[in-house]
Amino acid sequence: MDHAPQPSPADPQPVHASDAPATSGTASAGRRRNPLSHRSQDDRFRALVHHSLDAIVVSDPNNVITYVTPAIERLFGYPPEGLIGTSGFAFVHPDDRAASIEAARALLTRPGSASLQTFRLRHVDGSFRWVECTSVNLLDHEHVQGILNTFRDVTERKEADDRIRASEERLQALLANDDGAILVLDQAGVVQWASPTAERLWGLEPASLWSATMSRLVHPDDRREVSRQFARVVDESSHATARVEARMAHGDGSWRWFESTFANCLDTPSIHGIVANVRDTTDRVISEQALRDSEHRLEHQATHDPLTDLPNRTLLFDRMEVALARARRNATLTAVLFCDLDHFKVVNDSQGHSLGDALLVAVAARLRDALRPGDTIARFGGDEFVILVEDLHDEHETTAVAHLVEQTLRAPFALAGGDVYVTASIGISHAQDGEPGAEALIRNADSAMYQAKARGRARAEVFDDAMRARAVERHQIETSLRRAVSRRQLRVHYQPMIDLHTGHIVGSEALVRWKHPTRGMLYPATFMSIAEETGLIVPLGAWIFDQACLQTARWEQQRGGDVFIAINLSASQLDDLSLTDDIASVLAATRINPGHVHVEITESVLMHDVDASREVLDRLKILGVRIAIDDFGTGYSSFSHLRRFPVDILKIAQSFVQGLGADSEADAIVQAIINLGHTLGLVVVAEGVETAQQLDELRTHDCDMAQGYLISRAVPPERLGELLRADVSPARAVSGRT
Ligand code: C2E
Ligand code: CA
Ligand code: CA
């Protein structure tokens, strides 16, 4: 209506049926009926009608138009004259017509009554305009005698209303189809309004949601955080937002994860509250938790021993690094206890691996329970456990922990095979202010543990200065041993062996010596175990093998006869896969008779892993070398194993030989070994023969060969050459008994 042209005095005059040319005959009658007979009143009426923005139409009971004001043309474009005598219904939109007719009928029944209707009327241009029509039944009115209809164009308002309604419907649809819900809360967190989906989201009756405090729905553990975020949004300026994820009570009694975004809309008219956008994120949270769990599991697997579930070596070292760094900052004392179970191998071998495992699990559980929660107990390997203790006041506290371990293990372990008693050898080392580092700390504790074993087991030893000195020495030996071969500091000495029947030298044993630049001549006892542990024995052993075979080839040439060489092989050499190839190439290069090479392997090395040993021995046997069991009698070999190994020679351990003549038990053992060897068709050698009496006894017991200080110490090759030359009649090589 705003844009409707303002009526002006020049506009057409209202048209009355009596003014129409077709009804001019009744014009005087119309004027007669004019209620405003007074001139000025008539003028005023005209002016009012003229200026009214609404169109006034008077119709008869049949809705035929009898009077119309000029405003009609402004509203609908029809010249007023053309409307007189037409039916008002003709202009009504077909869809609205029925209602219009019905309303008109109702109006007719009640003289004096009024009705208000909104419908569409056709504009002269063919479009429809919304009108609000007020109709009053004035048929009985003496001056009007018709229905007075006042039309007002409400198209714009109607369109605006429709737009609002549409957008509201759209919003409702959006809200209803959102997977989240929207709440409007007041500053106290009380729900003022909830979107229709809220009901679905919480599985609650809307009524139980309205005027509830939001925090009442939140899980007690999450309430604090939700309240904190909510308060932040309330306190901060308008449009502040915050997001929080929390568990909320669902109508079905479960807790579900909801993510809420709060927005401060206190200043927004029509909201005046905090808008909470809430989504159910349970599925996401659960899958994230599952992911985290599986990550956690993987990490746990990587850092824990699968058998005992104790931290493994990796985690132990991590914890040690952390502990030592802290100790460095705080200047505190840290300790490591290296615990090795005594005789665990016996349990494992005699009762089976599964019982051995069960014992380790039980020990682990007891130790874990006994220690303070802050201490770390790790499984370091096999039957070794390492305990890390932090923040000690003094070293006595560590000793107390060692006592605790001893006490914890004291009661027997009830296993399927019966009660098992366990003791541990414990090595203790300390780090003051984080020094030394983790590696050294473990190494020191390990050395101390070996000391405890050496001092009789089932005890604890603290790594001290003497051990440190020994450890330093070991370290020095290791470093210089690496260079010993290239610096030509190693020598092979030879100890002759005689045939007890003829008394002649038949061969010799190669024994390594180290001519150390500062320490003088070193014997294998000082460096062999280090060479073993560090793996240096493999190249070293290969070099010795070379030297010994070359030397023996020379003697054979000089002597023109048989002389064998016995070469010791240690455990790591047997484990080395290239051993047989190396030996084969040495044999080929020196063209020595393979049968003149005896490899000596100690009984304990052979018995360590019977199946593996058998395999190696078979491979050696194929090369044609002879195999001697060294230190026989000390390593619990069983008769059946002995029969299955392709062995040629038994060397009776020195300890038995040295008891000969003085100790009747030793006599019996030596006799038994010789008989056993002969029964199996083996050559029996006695080593460590120091006295003539021992030699006599051995002859009496029908031993085949002897070796020992009585005959000769191990001597440099030149010296053995002299002995061989002096030993005029060349002896037979050992070729088994016939
Ligand atoms: P083994 O194989 O049992 O060697 C015999 C040891 O007894 C040698 O000590 C020898 O010098 C010593 N011995 C010989 N006769 C007597 C005696 O009448 N009385 C006493 N008390 N001892 C005697 P050595 O040379 O110190 O060797 C010690 C061990 O070191 C050897 O024991 C052997 O296991 C190992 N070994 C020595 N040389 C080598 C080598 O070249 N390679 C390997 N793998 N091990 C070696
Ligand atoms: Ca030997
Ligand atoms: Ca020996």
Side-chain angles (χ1 to χ4, degrees):
M1 293 292 274
D2 299 345
H3 61 273
Q6 290 298 305
S8 75
D11 282 346
Q13 301 300 298
V15 177
H16 197 273
S18 55
D19 294 341
T23 53
S24 56
T26 59
S28 58
R31 217 168 275 135
R32 250 198 338 268
R33 279 196 296 272
N34 190 338
L36 304 169
S37 56
H38 190 275
R39 184 73 206 168
S40 64
Q41 243 181 339
D42 195 33
D43 286 349
R44 199 143 119 235
F45 172 71
R46 275 176 195 282
L48 282 174
V49 167
H50 192 126
H51 285 99
S52 171
L53 296 178
D54 300 340
I56 296 168
V57 173
V58 179
S59 49
D60 69 9
N62 296 319
N63 209 36
V64 172
I65 298 170
T66 56
Y67 174 85
V68 63
T69 59
I72 200 81
E73 184 161 13
R74 221 171 39 241
L75 295 181
F76 299 104
Y78 300 103
E81 308 80 22
L83 296 173
I84 302 297
T86 61
S87 164
F89 293 133
F91 300 93
V92 177
H93 190 285
D95 292 352
D96 301 339
R97 204 169 287 158
S100 252
I101 292 170
E102 181 50 43
R105 199 190 342 264
L107 196 68
L108 281 179
T109 60
R110 282 173 285 124
S113 70
S115 75
L116 178 68
Q117 275 183 277
T118 306
F119 50 81
R120 285 158 286 182
L121 273 187
R122 196 173 60 238
H123 191 273
V124 75
D125 67 9
S127 68
F128 283 92
R129 313 277 306 166
W130 281 98
V131 290
E132 205 171 74
C133 171
T134 318
S135 304
V136 188
N137 181 342
L138 295 178
L139 286 169
D140 288 351
H141 194 280
E142 72 174 298
H143 299 302
V144 182
Q145 293 173 355
I147 310 290
L148 178 69
N149 304 289
T150 311
F151 290 93
R152 173 172 293 180
D153 186 326
V154 293
T155 307
E156 307 221 344
R157 197 189 77 203
K158 182 85 166 93
E159 281 173 359
D161 283 356
D162 285 352
R163 270 198 302 279
I164 289 170
R165 191 176 313 115
S167 99
E168 205 148 79
E169 279 169 7
R170 211 164 33 239
L171 194 65
Q172 289 298 332
L174 286 175
L175 288 175
N177 290 305
D178 185 25
D179 4 310
I182 296 170
L183 303 180
V184 177
L185 310 162
D186 68 8
Q187 299 188 38
V190 177
V191 178
Q192 303 294 311
W193 181 85
S195 70
T197 44
E199 195 182 330
R200 193 170 65 217
L201 198 68
W202 271 279
L204 289 173
E205 293 291 306
S208 55
L209 203 60
W210 285 70
S211 72
T213 330
M214 178 144 169
S215 69
R216 208 204 54 190
L217 299 168
V218 176
H219 191 283
D221 293 353
D222 299 339
R223 219 167 265 171
R224 201 186 165 84
E225 177 62 11
V226 172
S227 301
R228 205 172 68 85
Q229 296 295 346
F230 186 78
R232 233 195 65 206
V233 170
V234 171
D235 292 347
E236 278 180 22
S237 64
S238 67
H239 305 304
T241 60
R243 178 174 305 205
V244 63
E245 192 151 64
R247 279 156 292 178
M248 290 204 187
H250 190 269
D252 66 8
S254 66
W255 290 106
R256 296 190 64 84
W257 283 97
F258 285 55
E259 185 190 78
S260 309
T261 310
F262 298 122
N264 183 330
C265 297
L266 287 167
D267 291 347
T268 309
S270 80
I271 294 183
H272 295 301
I274 305 298
V275 173
N277 237 298
V278 188
R279 287 188 323 117
D280 186 326
T281 52
T282 308
D283 291 347
R284 198 203 66 218
V285 171
I286 287 177
S287 67
E288 279 173 3
Q289 274 171 353
L291 193 70
R292 265 200 304 278
D293 285 355
S294 75
E295 275 170 4
H296 184 77
R297 247 198 321 281
L298 281 179
E299 190 188 305
H300 188 87
Q301 278 169 14
T303 52
H304 288 77
D305 163 47
L307 180 66
T308 60
D309 203 38
L310 290 180
N312 63 13
R313 219 180 248 251
T314 314
L315 185 55
L316 173 69
F317 274 102
D318 279 358
R319 297 234 178 119
M320 285 179 77
E321 296 296 354
V322 173
L324 292 173
R326 198 162 35 220
R328 216 164 290 142
R329 280 196 305 277
N330 304 342
T332 54
L333 185 68
T334 316
V336 154
L337 289 87
F338 200 112
C339 311
D340 186 294
L341 303 187
D342 299 324
H343 305 298
F344 175 73
K345 219 177 112 51
V346 176
V347 176
N348 227 7
D349 289 352
S350 63
Q351 309 217 32
H353 285 274
S354 56
L355 270 175
D357 283 355
L359 179 59
L360 290 174
V361 170
V363 167
R366 264 200 213 172
L367 290 177
R368 187 171 28 210
D369 289 349
L371 292 167
R372 295 183 308 188
D375 301 336
T376 293
I377 169 144
R379 181 164 179 222
F380 200 71
D383 57 348
E384 298 163 337
F385 297 91
V386 169
I387 300 167
L388 169 67
V389 190
E390 289 183 63
D391 282 331
L392 295 159
H393 297 294
D394 56 44
E395 303 198 353
H396 294 297
E397 268 189 78
T398 321
T399 324
V401 177
H403 281 311
L404 182 68
V405 170
E406 284 164 354
Q407 255 159 22
T408 306
L409 297 179
R410 190 153 295 158
F413 289 87
L415 298 184
D419 281 359
V420 174
Y421 287 86
V422 171
T423 58
S425 299
I426 303 172
I428 298 171
S429 71
H430 289 101
Q432 183 62 56
D433 308 351
E435 296 301 331
E439 296 270 356
L441 199 55
I442 289 281
R443 202 169 47 237
N444 294 349
D446 186 46
S447 305
M449 186 275 289
Y450 272 103
Q451 188 76 276
K453 290 255 186 231
R455 291 189 178 160
R457 297 185 161 92
R459 55 188 291 141
E461 293 289 340
V462 180
F463 185 80
D464 58 16
D465 290 343
M467 276 187 233
R468 189 184 310 278
R470 269 197 301 279
V472 168
E473 192 194 63
R474 273 175 83 80
H475 183 69
Q476 284 170 350
I477 288 177
E478 185 191 330
T479 343
S480 43
L481 188 59
R482 287 183 190 280
R483 298 185 291 247
V485 177
S486 62
R487 297 193 174 173
R488 301 172 177 280
Q489 292 168 0
L490 292 174
R491 308 266 181 282
V492 182
H493 283 193
Y494 300 88
Q495 185 175 32
M497 291 187 214
I498 59 162
D499 184 319
L500 279 175
H501 306 292
T502 65
H504 289 298
I505 298 173
V506 284
S508 68
E509 178 175 3
L511 294 163
V512 69
R513 302 290 180 256
W514 181 5
K515 198 152 180 278
H516 195 278
T518 52
R519 295 164 191 256
M521 188 70 92
L522 297 181
Y523 290 83
T526 3
F527 60 89
M528 228 21 169
S529 62
I530 298 173
E532 256 290 299
E533 282 164 26
T534 54
L536 272 174
I537 188 66
V538 173
L540 203 66
W543 179 82
I544 293 164
F545 213 99
D546 248 22
Q547 295 296 303
C549 288
L550 273 171
Q551 187 56 57
T552 306
R554 255 177 246 138
W555 286 326
E556 284 200 341
Q557 270 180 350
Q558 286 167 15
R559 214 182 183 195
D562 301 337
V563 58
F564 69 80
I565 179 73
I567 303 169
N568 294 284
L569 290 184
S570 62
S572 327
Q573 286 174 281
L574 289 181
D575 289 343
D576 185 35
L577 292 173
S578 57
L579 175 75
T580 39
D581 290 347
D582 290 350
I583 294 180
S585 60
V586 175
L587 294 176
T590 54
R591 297 207 281 165
I592 193 170
N593 178 351
H596 292 180
V597 176
H598 301 181
V599 293
E600 294 192 1
I601 303 165
T602 63
E603 190 183 13
S604 45
V605 166
L606 279 181
M607 289 304 139
H608 182 71
D609 183 343
V610 171
D611 295 331
S613 297
R614 210 200 134 92
E615 223 181 287
V616 179
L617 295 190
D618 284 342
R619 274 191 277 130
L620 289 171
K621 198 71 201 158
I622 290 168
L623 296 175
V625 301
R626 287 170 196 278
I627 295 163
I629 298 188
D630 207 352
D631 299 346
F632 188 79
T634 57
Y636 320 101
S637 53
S638 74
F639 185 69
S640 63
H641 286 142
L642 213 51
R643 276 183 54 172
R644 281 171 45 215
F645 286 147
V647 174
D648 305 284
I649 301 150
L650 286 190
K651 285 187 90 169
I652 307 172
Q654 286 186 19
S655 48
F656 301 119
V657 175
Q658 280 162 10
L660 277 176
D663 173 358
S664 59
E665 200 182 353
D667 270 5
I669 290 171
V670 169
Q671 177 70 77
I673 293 174
I674 293 168
N675 290 343
L676 172 70
H678 289 170
T679 310
L680 295 171
L682 308 179
V683 170
V684 182
V685 183
E687 61 176 337
V689 183
E690 293 181 345
T691 66
Q693 192 195 356
Q694 288 162 359
L695 198 69
D696 280 347
E697 293 286 340
L698 290 165
R699 280 212 178 88
T700 318
H701 293 316
D702 198 23
C703 190
D704 302 298
M705 289 196 271
Q707 173 188 3
Y709 292 169
L710 179 69
I711 299 143
S712 166
R713 291 188 173 246
V715 293
E718 315 78 64
R719 177 70 190 132
L720 193 80
E722 286 168 21
L723 291 175
L724 284 172
R725 275 194 292 281
D727 189 49
V728 280
S729 92
R732 302 174 276 119
V734 177
S735 55
R737 282 172 69 91
T738 45

